Amino acid sequence: MSELLSGFATVLSPWNLLFAAIGVTVGTFVGVLPGIGPALTIALLLPITFSLDDPVGALIMFAGIYYGAMYGGSTTSILLNTPGESASVATSIEGYQMARRGRAHAALATAAIGSFVAGTISTVLLTLIARPVASLATSFRASDYFALAVLAMVCVTALVGSSVIRGLLSLSLGLFLGLIGIDSLTGQSRFTFGTLELLDGVGIVVVIVGLFAIGETLHVAARGDVPATVEPVRPTGGVLGWLSRDDWRRSWRPWLRGTAFGFPFGALPSGGAEIPTFLSYMYEKHRARGKGEFGKGAIEGVAGPEAANNAAFAGVLVPLLTLGIPTSATAAVLLAAFQIFNVQPGPQLFERSPDLVWALIASLYVGNVMLLVLNLPMIGLWVKVLQIPRPLLYAGILVFATLGVYAVSNSVVEVLIAYAIGVIGFFMRRYGFPLAPVILGVILGPLMEEQFRRALQIAGGDATVFVTRPLTVVLLSLAVVALVVPYLPGIVARSRGRRAGKLTFAEDD
Amino acid sequence: MRKTAATLVAGLMLGVAACGDTGGGSGDAVDYPTRTLQIMAPAGAGGGWDITARTIQKALKDGNLVTGSVEVSNVTGAAGTVGLAQLATKHKGDAHQLMITGLVMVGGVVTNKSAVDLTQTTPIATLTAEDEVIVVPASSPYQTLKDLVEAFKANPAGIKWGGGSAGGTDQILVGMLAKAAGIDPKQMNYIAYSGGGETKAGLLSGDLTAAVSGVGEFKDLVAGGQVRALAVSGAQGIDAGNGTPATTIKQAGYDVELQNWRGIVAPPGIKDGERAAIIALIDRLHESDAWKQAVTQQGWTDFYRSGDEAKAFYDSESARIRDVLVAAGVVA
Amino acid sequence: MPATSPSSSPSAAPEAETKTAAETETETESVVVAGIGPRIVAAVLVVAGGALAFVAWGELDGEPLAVGGPRFAPLLVTVLWTALAVVYLIRPAPVEVEPIGDRRSPLLLVAALVVYVLLLEPAGFAIASTLFFVAAAWILGSRRWLRDVVVAVPLAFGVYFAFTLGLDIRLPAGVLPI
């Protein structure tokens, strides 16, 4: 505890607070741009920090960038239905519906406050239980990861939407996109059609920018008769201005539950921030069953996923700091940053560089507060984005979408791939195919396949590995339960001789 | 001759673009660079090649080795072969476009069946290198590399080796080790992970018997006693984390030496004078304090060869790595 | 489907007049497409899935199909895709779509995008983006050229310099000596 306090003493200098403010601002800005996320930004800022003698300032700035970028990403998801990062896709589902109904202020506020709450709680967890969580996380073997991926897949299948068949077709598209490129286990190329550009696969950024930013713009263009702007409903006052009493009441539980999803998933090697956001969304939707507001802008569907993606960051730091294992792109860049300052994350880190670690942890608290302080007042300004005349707004989105893909890859071909996916996204919107399953397929598909084959390879081809290892068996059984439970009420009711409304996975509206 | 060509180019640039920056070549025999120097990192921002490129950029500026600007661009894809293809086609003959490369690209050219290989570029220099390390969990029965390789011989498929992506440095090393020990590399059970971090998790969870990665990756776990370093892959034993130099694979009795090196190349089709000028610039970079300081800060090992020596090294590595990958069955 | 039931077609309901602008905008009358559209989509999906399954089969290259190998998942996914598409072709589920107001604009936009990205390297980011921005705004219904140019130029050049100078990301300079 005294260590943490001395960490705060380090961080709370005017100079470092300035770094935190810069970080949050830069982060929010790049987060708003489609495709350009925290990992790239931090990587680009790394050389600048070479010349700093004291790594603390740089680390504080990086933490600020991460939190800022996560929040910035949710801003565009909510206002324009154009998430720039995979972790914001779940937010866009309800968030955009809220904005369309003039509730953009409330959506942005619940995202900001939820991020703060989740960030703070998960940082506390990081402070207290980093070590035990890390050793638990590294006990996961390949077969366990496979089982976990199956469980996650089953839990979020409900994202398939109103038509099961269309949802599954969307999922197939995502799974197919995830297969393109070099097979990571054998180095064989798949669906590359002899081109070098496809060897690395179609990046998730390209898919998201195409499907959402480009697809949405084409969709808007086809609607033709859209009004020039959407007039947001003025907030009616309330505790912090933007959230009504009812919004608070409905938000706080999803914040906490989102945190509970985000932190452990972040801590798992090959976990990441996307899966918990989808799990949180599904869980909130499940709980709200029957109230019928999901799909039309339910605040719970924004509060939960936003909390989850922020909580995941502190989770990601657990294996990074205690074992030197990066579990996300941003973490990998942070690891590079540590090494430049001659700090090797790992079991020795807490003994060897306690000042730095505790300063970093303290800077997470500070970055969180900074995010809230800077961004809550900004909400009014962000919502003004909606008052930009539509032609200019969407022309700008297309320029930034192109820029985002090109800046990362320097490749015209990748941009053309994003456009092609955009055209697919347009037709999916027109013919009622849900978009989220595509993202799910791209993320979970490779994870499932890779871990399944790796587990087989480790077991020497013996498939019994999936039924003999206790953790694997437990996770797979949970998956089966999750698959069956939604049908249970119907089955039970039928066995009692009553006709009950059948509750299916595809329940919607 | 060299001077006239360079002056001509400089004059041309001045005339055409009217943004004359003729570099700081006073007194030197060469006039290079005469305009913005472009360094391509054929991978994403934040990786080893990118950091190398940006370190060069910074050292060139800090050491006042060039007065014009130096820009870094990232071309991602396929172990650098996408960048390599661009260098050989789009930038052919452009002496102001350099590219970072390394052992990983040599392997990538083979595994990705790239149409362009490194011998088609103009090698300038090799810069840095990192040793590989072979580690086992602390609880492993294998105390030395010999123990491990004996068990490997007795049951080649029983040892689960883990490391980076298929066809990468780590798998190349295991393949070489198998060959040196008289085991058919095709029989090895190599489990590929997407990076050092995942490999680490695989070793700690008990999925793997042994793991191979860059020395830096496992240093802290070795120091913390969670894993045991059996051998390093360079010519000299270096500290793998526990404070004393680890044995090399050669010392353990297997004729294998492999380092994950990085270097810099120019496009094909540049003039001899330009090549000499670039080599001279990189020579001066290597001598500069700014570079030396950066190398220390990054924890890199100096591995400098330039000019013809670099060319010979690039050629021999290309041939050697192809042989190993073919023997290991990664490529036909 | 709900779109035809009174409860969920609010624009036809009497209380529509009391709705805010935002709400009316979101609930433009949907139409149920049960005609030829979904079937064409399904047919395209069948053909695409089949072609990809064929490619996946070709990539096997005569090797035996192993569950733990790299060729299993591609076949599994593409065959599944094709099967689902066939089911959808036979029984396309009805779908609600907003009436299409404009067929020309999306096509023009796609064409503009392709020209934009092809111009990016030869003409440079700033010029290509300025031209594209103005063109895209026109396609999307703006008829105020001057305003669009006044917005486009600072946007394109501002982004160019922010990226090249601020973030050190190289963007093509193209024909401009910048």
Side-chain angles (χ1 to χ4, degrees):
Chain A
M1 200 62 217
S2 64
E3 290 156 314
L4 181 60
L5 287 178
S6 74
F8 271 112
T10 318
V11 170
L12 290 172
S13 73
W15 198 235
N16 284 336
L17 286 178
L18 180 69
F19 274 127
I22 294 174
V24 169
T25 312
V26 170
T28 308
F29 176 69
V30 297
V32 167
L33 300 177
I36 299 170
L40 180 68
T41 314
I42 295 174
L44 292 166
L45 290 174
L46 266 186
I48 300 172
T49 60
F50 288 175
S51 44
L52 296 176
D53 295 327
D54 179 16
V56 173
L59 292 178
I60 290 172
M61 189 164 72
F62 294 160
I65 289 174
Y66 187 87
Y67 283 132
M70 278 300 166
Y71 180 70
S74 49
T75 309
T76 47
S77 312
I78 290 170
L79 295 178
L80 304 168
N81 199 18
T82 57
E85 276 83 38
S86 42
S88 318
V89 171
T91 308
S92 71
I93 305 174
E94 290 304 309
Y96 180 58
Q97 292 305 326
M98 285 183 73
R100 288 185 78 174
R101 284 164 174 74
R103 302 243 302 133
H105 289 92
L108 289 172
T110 198
I113 300 170
S115 297
F116 169 76
V117 170
T120 305
I121 294 175
S122 58
T123 308
V124 172
L125 291 175
L126 170 68
T127 318
L128 298 176
I129 56 166
R131 295 277 180 96
V133 170
S135 62
L136 202 66
T138 48
S139 67
F140 269 63
R141 292 196 178 180
S143 59
D144 306 329
Y145 277 119
F146 167 71
L148 187 68
V150 171
L151 177 59
M153 184 71 106
V154 169
C155 289
V156 292
T157 333
L159 281 172
V160 297
S162 61
S163 151
V164 177
I165 184 103
R166 282 197 295 267
L168 291 177
L169 278 165
S170 292
L171 186 67
S172 312
L173 175 68
L175 292 172
F176 162 71
L177 290 174
L179 285 169
I180 295 175
I182 293 176
D183 166 44
S184 58
L185 291 175
T186 58
Q188 307 285 313
S189 62
R190 306 193 288 195
F191 296 123
T192 54
F193 306 100
T195 59
L196 277 181
E197 277 82 4
L198 285 176
L199 278 179
D200 271 1
V202 181
I204 185 84
V205 166
V206 173
V207 176
I208 287 175
V209 167
L211 217 48
F212 292 94
I214 314 266
E216 177 72 14
T217 310
L218 295 177
H219 185 60
V220 166
R223 276 212 305 256
D225 57 350
V226 285
T229 57
V230 175
E231 186 61 33
V233 176
R234 290 274 145 229
T236 53
V239 190
L240 265 161
W242 314 122
L243 285 183
S244 70
R245 184 180 294 273
D246 189 46
D247 291 332
W248 279 97
R249 189 182 56 73
R250 289 171 54 185
S251 289
W252 72 271
R253 284 194 197 87
W255 290 339
L256 296 184
R257 287 192 289 255
T259 311
F261 281 114
F263 184 78
F265 261 90
L268 281 176
S270 52
E274 297 90 4
I275 301 171
T277 60
F278 284 115
L279 286 174
S280 166
Y281 173 83
M282 277 326 302
Y283 189 73
E284 296 307 331
K285 187 175 174 181
H286 175 80
R287 284 192 67 96
R289 187 190 292 263
K291 289 180 199 146
E293 215 191 319
F294 260 77
K296 299 194 187 93
I299 196 166
E300 293 89 347
V302 178
E306 275 306 295
N309 82 29
N310 252 45
F313 182 53
V316 162
L317 288 176
V318 169
L320 181 69
L321 294 179
T322 55
L323 297 162
I325 297 176
T327 58
S328 72
T330 314
V333 180
L334 280 178
L335 183 64
F338 278 120
Q339 283 159 349
I340 283 167
F341 293 113
N342 249 327
V343 179
Q344 176 64 51
Q348 313 294 299
L349 182 67
F350 281 81
E351 277 96 57
R352 222 172 30 207
S353 322
D355 304 349
L356 187 78
V357 177
W358 290 108
L360 175 70
I361 292 176
S363 74
L364 296 181
Y365 290 105
V366 174
N368 253 311
V369 175
M370 195 67 83
L371 179 75
L372 196 66
V373 170
L374 288 181
N375 278 324
L376 265 189
M378 291 276 284
I379 287 177
L381 208 62
W382 282 121
V383 173
K384 290 232 160 48
V385 165
L386 292 179
Q387 287 165 16
I388 297 173
R390 283 299 166 101
L392 299 189
L393 181 62
Y394 282 97
I397 289 175
L398 291 178
V399 168
F400 281 115
T402 305
L403 171 74
V405 177
Y406 186 82
V408 174
S409 63
N410 245 302
S411 155
V412 168
V413 179
E414 296 251 320
V415 180
L416 287 171
I417 294 172
Y419 290 170
I421 293 175
V423 172
I424 295 174
F426 167 73
F427 282 106
M428 290 178 68
R429 281 176 169 80
R430 277 215 61 73
Y431 292 101
F433 288 84
L435 300 173
V438 180
I439 304 301
L440 219 62
V442 176
I443 292 168
L444 280 176
L447 183 66
M448 272 171 70
E449 191 212 354
E450 197 173 276
Q451 300 291 7
F452 174 78
R453 286 170 50 203
R454 197 175 276 151
L456 267 186
Q457 199 189 345
I458 288 164
D462 180 6
T464 57
V465 63
F466 298 108
V467 290
T468 50
R469 197 173 142 76
L471 185 53
T472 310
V473 172
V474 168
L475 290 168
L476 284 175
S477 315
L478 283 175
V480 172
V481 170
L483 198 60
V484 174
V485 157
Y487 297 95
L488 276 183
I491 296 166
V492 171
R494 210 164 302 148
S495 71
R496 286 181 186 165
R498 279 191 286 124
R499 280 180 66 93
K502 199 176 111 206
L503 299 165
T504 67
F505 265 123
E507 184 192 21
D508 203 340
D509 289 354
Chain B
M1 158 65 207
R2 181 190 288 172
K3 173 134 186 149
T4 45
T7 325
L8 203 80
V9 173
L12 209 68
M13 289 312 298
L14 267 170
V16 172
C19 59
D21 179 4
T22 51
S26 62
D28 275 58
V30 285
D31 217 9
Y32 177 91
T34 51
R35 58 189 167 92
T36 300
L37 190 60
Q38 302 278 358
I39 303 175
M40 184 208 296
W49 287 340
D50 178 63
I51 292 178
T52 306
R54 290 177 197 273
T55 305
I56 293 174
Q57 176 190 32
K58 195 163 178 296
L60 285 174
K61 295 301 294 175
D62 290 358
N64 286 320
L65 296 171
V66 294
T67 49
S69 54
V70 181
E71 287 179 358
V72 171
S73 60
N74 297 87
V75 177
T76 55
T81 49
V82 173
L84 179 64
Q86 275 193 17
L87 190 81
T89 52
K90 206 164 109 185
H91 302 297
K92 189 172 184 181
D94 177 2
H96 287 81
Q97 176 70 58
L98 306 178
M99 182 182 79
I100 306 297
T101 182
L103 182 71
V104 176
M105 193 187 288
V106 178
V109 166
V110 181
T111 48
N112 300 341
K113 303 180 183 72
S114 164
V116 181
D117 73 23
L118 268 172
T119 57
Q120 282 162 277
T121 65
T122 308
I124 300 298
T126 60
L127 299 166
T128 60
E130 192 189 20
D131 273 24
E132 294 268 293
V133 64
I134 300 173
V135 296
V136 293
S139 58
S140 164
Y142 310 115
Q143 297 298 325
T144 64
L145 183 63
K146 205 162 190 68
D147 295 348
L148 180 64
V149 176
E150 287 305 321
F152 188 24
K153 255 187 210 163
N155 180 10
I159 304 293
K160 289 162 270 179
W161 297 91
S165 57
T169 315
D170 305 337
Q171 188 176 15
I172 291 171
L173 182 70
V174 182
M176 285 179 158
L177 184 63
K179 239 171 117 180
I183 304 161
D184 178 8
K186 282 195 180 66
Q187 287 191 296
M188 71 183 177
N189 191 4
Y190 180 85
I191 292 123
Y193 290 83
S194 63
E198 268 197 50
T199 313
K200 232 185 259 182
L203 188 72
L204 292 176
S205 74
D207 268 340
L208 301 173
T209 319
V212 180
S213 194
V215 167
E217 196 70 64
F218 277 103
K219 251 186 177 161
D220 207 68
L221 289 179
V222 172
Q226 274 97 332
V227 305
R228 187 159 54 240
L230 298 184
V232 292
S233 67
Q236 276 114 38
I238 58 158
D239 177 19
N242 52 3
T244 53
T247 38
T248 63
I249 299 178
K250 260 203 175 132
Q251 286 165 349
Y254 308 96
D255 188 18
V256 173
E257 201 183 301
L258 180 78
Q259 283 187 303
N260 190 4
W261 53 269
R262 290 183 199 134
I264 188 162
V265 295
I270 62 169
K271 299 186 187 73
D272 287 349
E274 288 169 335
R275 173 172 175 262
I278 303 170
I279 291 170
L281 178 69
I282 301 298
D283 278 342
R284 275 186 291 150
L285 168 81
H286 177 247
E287 289 306 312
S288 72
D289 289 337
W291 173 256
K292 284 180 183 155
Q293 205 185 327
V295 167
T296 316
Q297 191 180 16
Q298 301 278 358
W300 291 333
T301 310
D302 187 59
F303 187 70
Y304 196 70
R305 293 146 201 252
S306 75
D308 294 341
E309 221 183 308
K311 181 164 174 36
F313 180 75
Y314 276 94
D315 288 348
S316 73
E317 283 292 270
S318 293
R320 167 168 98 128
I321 299 306
R322 179 177 296 273
D323 288 350
V324 177
L325 288 173
V326 169
V330 176
V331 282
Chain C
M1 276 311 273
T4 52
S5 73
S7 64
S8 60
S9 74
S11 55
E15 68 267 25
E17 283 152 36
T18 61
K19 296 207 180 274
T20 64
E23 280 174 320
T24 333
E25 190 261 319
T26 50
E27 293 168 25
T28 37
E29 193 172 359
S30 300
V31 288
V32 177
V33 176
I36 195 76
R39 283 194 196 269
I40 294 176
V41 170
V44 169
L45 284 172
V46 171
V47 172
L52 290 173
F54 184 74
V55 171
W57 182 256
E59 281 179 349
L60 252 180
D61 211 17
E63 295 163 44
L65 184 63
V67 175
R71 304 299 173 202
F72 180 72
L75 266 177
L76 182 71
V77 169
T78 49
V79 167
L80 208 68
W81 167 335
T82 315
L84 286 166
V86 168
V87 173
Y88 190 56
L89 181 65
I90 298 167
R91 290 187 51 194
V95 55
E96 286 173 55
V97 291
E98 290 165 38
I100 199 155
D102 188 348
R103 281 172 204 285
R104 214 170 48 115
S105 296
L107 279 173
L108 282 175
L109 263 187
V110 172
L113 280 169
V114 172
V115 172
Y116 175 34
V117 74
L118 295 181
L119 271 182
L120 209 54
E121 287 178 357
F125 176 81
I127 290 183
S129 299
T130 306
L131 293 176
F132 172 76
F133 187 91
V134 175
W138 184 81
I139 295 168
L140 286 162
S142 168
R143 289 296 175 270
R144 294 167 63 185
W145 284 97
L146 192 64
R147 177 195 68 182
D148 297 350
V149 173
V150 167
V151 174
V153 171
L155 180 82
F157 283 81
V159 167
Y160 178 81
F161 287 112
F163 270 68
T164 49
L165 303 180
L167 282 174
D168 212 5
I169 295 183
R170 201 185 64 87
L171 292 175
V175 292
L176 293 184
I178 46 177

